[in-house]
Amino acid sequence: MLKTLQSNIVFPFSVKISFNKLLNQYDQLAKSENALIASKANEILNVAKQSPVLRDGFTDLSYLNTYDQDIRVILQDVFSHVLTLNEIKFATVPLGNAVLASTQRFKNIVKDAGDNFDLLIKNMPEEDLYIFGCTIIISMYYGYTLNFKRPIYYDIPDKNGILKTYKVLYNADFIEINPTKDAPKFTHQDYEELLDNFDDIELWKQKFPPNSYQFKGFVVSSLFDVTDDQSISNIKSTLIEMNKQKKESFMENFQDVFQRLFSRKDINVGFSVFNKENNALEQVYGSNVKSYLLNKSDSICCSDALCLFSYEKLIEEKSYYSISDVNKLYQQTQGKEPQIAALHDQGIQSAIFAPIAEEGKLLAVLELVSNQKGALNSINANKLIDVMPFILTAFKRAKEEEENQIEAIIQRECTSIHPSVRWKFEEAAKAFRKEQQEGKPNPNFKRIRFKNVYPLFGQIDVKGSSKARNEATLKDLLLQLKLVKNIIDQAIALEDLPIYNQILFQLKDFETTLKDNFKVDTEQKITQFLHTEIEPIFKFQLQQHQSLKEDIEDYFSKIDDNLNVIYYYRKNFDDTISLINKNMASIIDRKQIEAQQMYPHFFERFKTDGVEHNMYIGEAITKENSFNEIYLYNLRLWQMQVMCEMENVYYNYQHQYPKALDVASMILVFNQPLTIRFRTDEKHFDVDGTYNARYEVVKKRVDKANIKGTDQRITQKGKLTIVYSQQEDEVEYLQYVKFLQAKKRLANNLEILELEDLQGVTGLKAIRVDILYSDLNEDKYYTYDDLITNNKS
């Protein structure tokens, strides 16, 4: 126990315990005409007269024991013996926790809290406490109206470990405030300045330096149990914050506030979602929220999950359903009622199920369960009445946000419609709406199909990306293992424990596996080992060794917060891939704007380990009778130039990427027009018909194909590869190559190669030519008309 009132917390005043103001009231009562009152007052004053220090004041807390009997006499009217087991009240000093006297109920509460409990204000920071002290001085000594009253709370655990919340009311009638010689003069101007500077703690300390005033006296603190109100408030706060928290911590907090509301540690919380279409209860998807009604099942029809009575209560009436003794009902029903059997199998002894419903529509079921008989029942179920509106609001908000997120994902990832074909979708939508308005029984959204369009496909792909990714993973894991091994070696030197040697053996085994037999699951095994076995030892065991602290802190500083692993080489790789995709996509997107002005066509691109693009051009897309194959030739030449520019940009700025990677470019030529159809199930365009499907097969496999009779890939860094199957395609593209060679976009070397047969596809050939790289000073493209002019000249 503290010997004096000096505190580690700085206040604008020093405190002296004194009963002077209380004794002054007894001085007046001693003159009362009521003999009984006067006699009692004189008796108290005589006791105080024997101990002048009780009037004069003291700071030595040992005096509380020395004058214990006298203090009890002086405070007998403040702490009535009649109410000692009812009131929660104690005498203390301002903003302190020294107990001068108290009621028996307060003593019982503190005793149940345990020996290590410290009575601390829970909701006011230290700086706010200082300012609070200043406002007391301003109000009580200088007489200014300044209200800084805020609800003050104590959290005190009961004997079962449940935190109970108590609101504190202060009676400061027995305090005298006086400035010391160190107190600056306080003026009205100072008062007005402070009104606009609450957050400037240094200004407050300038006006009211620490210990520049003296509080003489004591305060009476009365406590009121507001656990239920605070629990409801905490439930509101937890629900408001649920989208900002990790789901694990959200459920922990949510469960905790219900335990406080019901004053029981054995309360667990679950949810099940009601699916109206299937009349079923379902687990909450993608979270650690459990359903005790469903136990281990993902979904159960309501009639199979509930007996007839509970079905009527929950599903039809939308009212609470409680079970106070699961074992008793289990025996009575011989385990035939599904919800009783499910609870019994999980060791649950009592439960409350509350429907989350709005306007007669059931949305979900809140499940409260306990492993204690009678802990939950139809009586304390009424505690949920004040809580359910907040849960309903939060559930609706979460459901709406989930629907919005799903819709946004669909719009972004699945249903993005290129402007060149939007007119076709609008026509189909208008026709569908017209059929609806005309009352047709089965309105039909017509298929979106474009016939006789010419495809163009190209890609700029990162070479050896899988190998580079594995190498980066290997380097990160070896680095992390090396750091761990260094710390364990030091730990063994300090304390040669068998567990450290076992870890060292495991580390060496992992290193061998990484170097000699790296597999897909190796990374997961090592990461799990580091997370579950190494981290706890570093955090809780080896931290006690001061010589290891710096290395351990260095180790954790290198661990990525999100991935919980060293993410250095992999980050360089991932960042490089991301930048390549971003920069290459931005080039082709920008150039596409120009290409659409040449002639409208469908365009889409995809980011993988590189960038792929599809284009379709034809009469069906433009809706106008204006298409000529010259536009196709123009687009093919444009495509080759864009591929050359993308390569040029990449290699000109390759030094800016975190990791050095190479790319290879390929164009696939398909000389026959085909039909594409929008697949509503997959929300994207695809070729239509068996013959046309050959094109998709080639697209997926050709970049991995080898040159016939060799093990060399057809796509190579620094080269533009043009894959085709018809002789007329070769003639056409050789013209484009010759033209771009003359314009210094392609080198003069040229190869015509045969490809190995692919599954279901034979007879493919390729033109392969080196790309020339420039400093990008020239930014001009040559159209098909330029090519024709060049050939004529």
Side-chain angles (χ1 to χ4, degrees), residues 92-211:
T92 185
V93 293
L95 304 180
N97 61 353
V99 178
L100 313 184
S102 69
T103 61
Q104 188 58 47
R105 186 177 176 189
F106 175 81
K107 292 176 183 175
N108 294 340
I109 289 172
V110 173
K111 181 180 178 182
D112 288 342
D115 296 335
N116 295 324
F117 173 72
D118 195 7
L119 195 64
L120 297 174
I121 296 172
K122 79 161 194 170
N123 64 320
M124 192 173 289
E126 184 177 326
E127 288 187 354
D128 283 9
L129 281 173
Y130 192 97
I131 295 172
F132 184 37
C134 295
T135 61
I136 293 174
I137 297 170
I138 293 171
S139 300
M140 294 186 66
Y141 185 78
Y142 291 102
Y144 288 100
T145 302
L146 195 62
N147 189 354
F148 183 44
K149 289 183 180 178
R150 290 174 53 194
I152 296 175
Y153 298 96
Y154 290 128
D155 273 350
I156 306 176
D158 65 11
K159 58 185 176 183
N160 297 316
I162 297 291
L163 278 180
K164 310 288 284 185
T165 301
Y166 296 90
K167 186 176 181 179
V168 186
L169 293 183
Y170 283 122
N171 182 336
D173 292 343
F174 308 113
I175 284 180
E176 301 171 78
I177 301 175
N178 291 295
T180 68
K181 61 181 178 58
D182 298 322
K185 184 179 179 181
F186 186 75
T187 65
H188 185 75
Q189 184 178 352
D190 293 328
Y191 166 73
E192 291 183 339
E193 185 178 2
L194 290 174
L195 289 178
D196 294 322
N197 289 281
F198 173 82
D199 294 328
D200 190 347
I201 185 64
E202 296 305 320
L203 180 63
W204 286 88
K205 288 183 177 180
Q206 176 187 329
K207 308 297 183 185
F208 298 95
N211 300 320

Side-chain angles (χ1 to χ4, degrees), residues 5-24:
L5 288 172
Q6 299 301 317
S7 169
N8 292 328
I9 300 176
V10 177
F11 290 122
F13 50 77
S14 60
V15 175
K16 181 182 285 190
I17 299 172
S18 168
F19 302 97
N20 182 55
K21 284 197 75 173
L22 176 61
L23 292 171
N24 286 343

Side-chain angles (χ1 to χ4, degrees), residues 287-302:
S287 74
N288 66 334
V289 180
K290 180 176 180 177
S291 170
Y292 297 94
L293 275 174
L294 300 178
N295 198 0
K296 296 178 181 179
S297 301
D298 292 330
S299 175
I300 303 180
C301 180
C302 292

Side-chain angles (χ1 to χ4, degrees), residues 186-318:
F186 186 75
T187 65
H188 185 75
Q189 184 178 352
D190 293 328
Y191 166 73
E192 291 183 339
E193 185 178 2
L194 290 174
L195 289 178
D196 294 322
N197 289 281
F198 173 82
D199 294 328
D200 190 347
I201 185 64
E202 296 305 320
L203 180 63
W204 286 88
K205 288 183 177 180
Q206 176 187 329
K207 308 297 183 185
F208 298 95
N211 300 320
S212 58
Y213 286 77
Q214 185 180 74
F215 275 38
K216 181 180 175 183
F218 68 97
V219 295
V220 178
S221 298
S222 296
L223 274 59
F224 300 90
D225 189 342
V226 292
T227 304
D228 285 357
D229 293 340
Q230 193 67 21
S231 295
I232 293 172
S233 176
N234 288 343
I235 286 173
K236 287 193 289 183
S237 300
T238 303
L239 290 170
I240 290 170
E241 292 293 322
M242 71 179 180
N243 292 322
K244 302 177 184 177
Q245 301 173 354
K246 292 183 178 179
K247 291 177 181 176
E248 293 79 6
S249 62
F250 163 71
M251 277 309 296
E252 289 175 5
N253 295 339
F254 201 52
Q255 199 151 271
D256 177 67
V257 293
F258 271 103
Q259 289 174 352
R260 294 180 68 174
L261 180 65
F262 283 84
S263 299
R264 301 192 66 97
K265 270 286 187 184
D266 51 73
I267 302 291
N268 288 320
V269 182
F271 283 95
S272 50
V273 177
F274 179 64
N275 184 325
K276 182 181 178 182
E277 287 73 18
N278 300 329
N279 193 36
L281 293 175
E282 300 176 346
Q283 295 275 7
V284 178
Y285 174 74
S287 74
N288 66 334
V289 180
K290 180 176 180 177
S291 170
Y292 297 94
L293 275 174
L294 300 178
N295 198 0
K296 296 178 181 179
S297 301
D298 292 330
S299 175
I300 303 180
C301 180
C302 292
S303 57
D304 295 330
L306 303 166
C307 69
L308 182 60
F309 176 75
S310 59
Y311 183 93
E312 290 178 351
K313 293 284 284 183
L314 277 173
I315 308 302
E316 295 184 354
E317 298 176 14
K318 284 84 179 176

Side-chain angles (χ1 to χ4, degrees), residues 21 141 247 257 328 343 358 469 474 615 656 703 750 768:
K21 284 197 75 173
Y141 185 78
K247 291 177 181 176
V257 293
K328 180 181 176 181
L343 296 176
E358 182 183 41
R469 184 180 282 107
L474 186 67
M615 294 184 289
Q656 296 181 2
D703 68 317
L750 183 144
R768 200 166 68 177

Side-chain angles (χ1 to χ4, degrees), residues 737-750 769:
V737 170
K738 185 177 180 181
F739 174 69
L740 293 178
Q741 286 174 332
K743 299 302 177 184
K744 305 301 182 184
R745 301 299 177 92
L746 298 175
N748 289 328
N749 65 329
L750 183 144
V769 58

Side-chain angles (χ1 to χ4, degrees), residues 724-755:
Y724 58 95
S725 62
Q726 302 296 321
Q727 182 64 29
E728 59 193 85
D729 298 329
E730 180 180 305
V731 172
E732 178 185 344
Y733 272 86
L734 284 176
Q735 292 184 70
Y736 302 150
V737 170
K738 185 177 180 181
F739 174 69
L740 293 178
Q741 286 174 332
K743 299 302 177 184
K744 305 301 182 184
R745 301 299 177 92
L746 298 175
N748 289 328
N749 65 329
L750 183 144
E751 303 170 279
I752 296 179
L753 307 165
E754 292 185 33
L755 273 66

